[in-house]
Amino acid sequence: MSPYRIKNKRISSPLSGFPFLRTRNKLPEKPRTPRQAVSELGTRMRVSSRYAQTRMQNILLTHGWRFFIFSLLMRLPASMVMLAVMMMLAYQNNEATLGGYAAGTVGISAAFMIPVYRRLSDRWGQHIIFFAVTVLNILALVWLLLESLSFAEGTSGSITRFLLAAALTGITTVPLGTVMRTYWSAEYLKTKDRRKLNVSISLETMLDVIALPAGAVIAGLSTLVFNAQATLFSVLIIDVLGLLMILWRPGSLPIERRDMVEGKPKPLRGGNRSLLWLPQIGMICLGTVLGSTQAAIVAFALSTDQISVTGFLIALLGLFAVASALFIIFERLPAFTWVAWLLSGLGLTAATLLLSLPSSLEWLVLALVLVGLSYGICLVVVDSVLTSLAARSNLDLALSTMQACSLGGIAVGFVWAADLSESYNHQVALLVPLIAAAFFFVLGHLYGFLWRSMYEERLAPLPQD
């Protein structure tokens, strides 16, 4: 029997966000005062927060705090390299175009390699792949540093060799977020524990968002205290530290060869899976918002001769994204609904609209705070929607594809914003995140329409006898 036809049972439309109760002959409840409603809401939020904290603590205690440190540390190169390349060339050459193209080359190369590393880690194990890729990434970073020195000395360096070094750096960047999501999806296939899956994906989203301000702070401080090349040198040091952690007691890290699921993986089509392309395109939009905003911030710092505040501004964006994402995660708000997508998309569009207005430094700070808050919520929403749609199919493939879409969107954002800022100015470049956010909002409308037309007519109230 369908669960939607069980009487006196509380059910919830999977993506509508409005729980309801079908009962017969139930006495109406006594109306609550506003004070009682606020008190009950506060109690529910405290209980939800304690529940989420307990579940995450169980995961961290099961795998150890060394796993948490490694997961955060090895996310930094992926979030730092594009920003580091653009900041380096902007600082030493006082222009954004070449840095934007180099950053985009890094991002596109890394996005194309995500499905390759996913398959290789399944066949050979994550330890071997992590070790080999990290060693190659160290060599690629050294080559990129050497090529950047030719531009720093004022000579005409080879742009072709520089872009090739950027491409090799992207190819050899460890996609830790993808590998860890693959690990959690394999755990879900073994345990069928949906609550653990939701918490683990929330943990991965939280680590991805935390890596943004952490990488911006490291890049900004290294550029300000030392020189332009120090941004890439800091990524090199992080790679070395990660390599040492892989070599030292690798058995304590939950990255190991896993048994392949018997039979062929399920295709990403049919049923709920027919809607998976929507959150994946939505992730491209969010990546474009992030990449173009970072590139426009660098262009703003160049035009106002305030390159030293670049790291602070990007870190501010990331810190407020972390704050909003943690609030949604720990309060267990229904982020998987199409209503949540619409509201978060509306907030992101409004925030990027404010960002595109004529901006002094003070106005830019305020707009970045709002963009960060909206971006963190949108990231949790897209992760939750995709996990909800793909949990019964090939979750591994869906999550890895989403990570590739994110990196590709960031790369596109860097290129477009850098090119527009050089051809016009940084405020024209700030139209790119506005357009991407508006498209993300339109996707939310389309998602809600398709979901309602395909599924919600099944949830019509039962006829009364």
Side-chain angles (χ1 to χ4, degrees), residues 104-334:
T105 302
V106 172
I108 290 294
S109 303
F112 274 116
M113 290 305 294
I114 281 180
V116 176
Y117 288 141
R118 170 180 167 269
R119 298 295 298 175
L120 290 177
S121 62
D122 283 340
R123 179 178 294 273
W124 302 103
Q126 282 90 341
H127 285 139
I128 297 176
I129 299 303
F130 272 21
F131 179 82
V133 173
T134 305
V135 171
L136 291 175
N137 191 243
I138 291 173
L139 297 176
L141 284 169
V142 171
W143 184 26
L144 189 61
L145 277 169
L146 294 176
E147 290 296 331
S148 68
L149 289 175
S150 61
F151 293 97
E153 294 169 356
T155 59
S156 56
S158 173
I159 295 178
T160 302
R161 288 201 308 269
F162 183 74
L163 292 179
L164 285 175
L168 184 60
T169 303
I171 288 172
T172 56
T173 299
V174 178
L176 185 68
T178 301
V179 175
M180 291 310 304
R181 283 173 169 84
T182 299
Y183 173 82
W184 295 122
S185 62
E187 286 290 303
Y188 172 68
L189 292 177
K190 295 178 182 177
T191 63
K192 300 299 181 181
D193 187 348
R194 183 61 179 270
R195 292 182 177 179
K196 182 179 179 181
L197 174 66
N198 292 337
V199 174
S200 59
I201 297 301
S202 297
L203 176 64
E204 293 301 311
T205 305
M206 182 180 71
L207 293 174
D208 286 343
V209 179
I210 291 175
L212 173 62
V217 169
I218 295 173
L221 288 178
S222 58
T223 302
L224 184 62
V225 176
F226 299 103
N227 53 34
Q229 278 70 33
T231 55
L232 281 179
F233 190 73
S234 60
V235 180
L236 190 63
I237 294 175
I238 291 172
D239 269 350
V240 173
L241 292 176
L243 191 62
L244 293 176
M245 293 187 71
I246 293 173
L247 293 174
W248 178 59
R249 293 171 58 191
S252 61
L253 300 176
I255 46 174
E256 57 190 9
R257 184 175 179 178
R258 65 185 179 89
D259 296 330
M260 296 294 292
V261 180
E262 294 182 0
K264 295 181 180 180
K266 296 180 180 179
L268 294 179
R269 62 177 184 270
N272 292 356
R273 298 184 295 277
S274 62
L275 301 179
L276 277 174
W277 61 276
L278 286 165
Q280 288 169 354
I281 295 180
M283 185 57 75
I284 295 177
C285 294
L286 292 182
T288 305
V289 169
L290 179 60
S292 56
T293 301
Q294 289 180 329
I297 289 173
V298 175
F300 167 80
L302 283 175
S303 63
T304 58
D305 197 21
Q306 302 180 81
I307 193 66
S308 59
V309 303
T310 305
F312 164 75
L313 292 175
I314 297 176
L316 188 70
L317 169 70
L319 286 173
F320 279 90
V322 171
S324 60
L326 290 180
F327 179 79
I328 299 296
I329 290 171
F330 282 106
E331 296 303 331
R332 295 196 302 156
L333 299 180

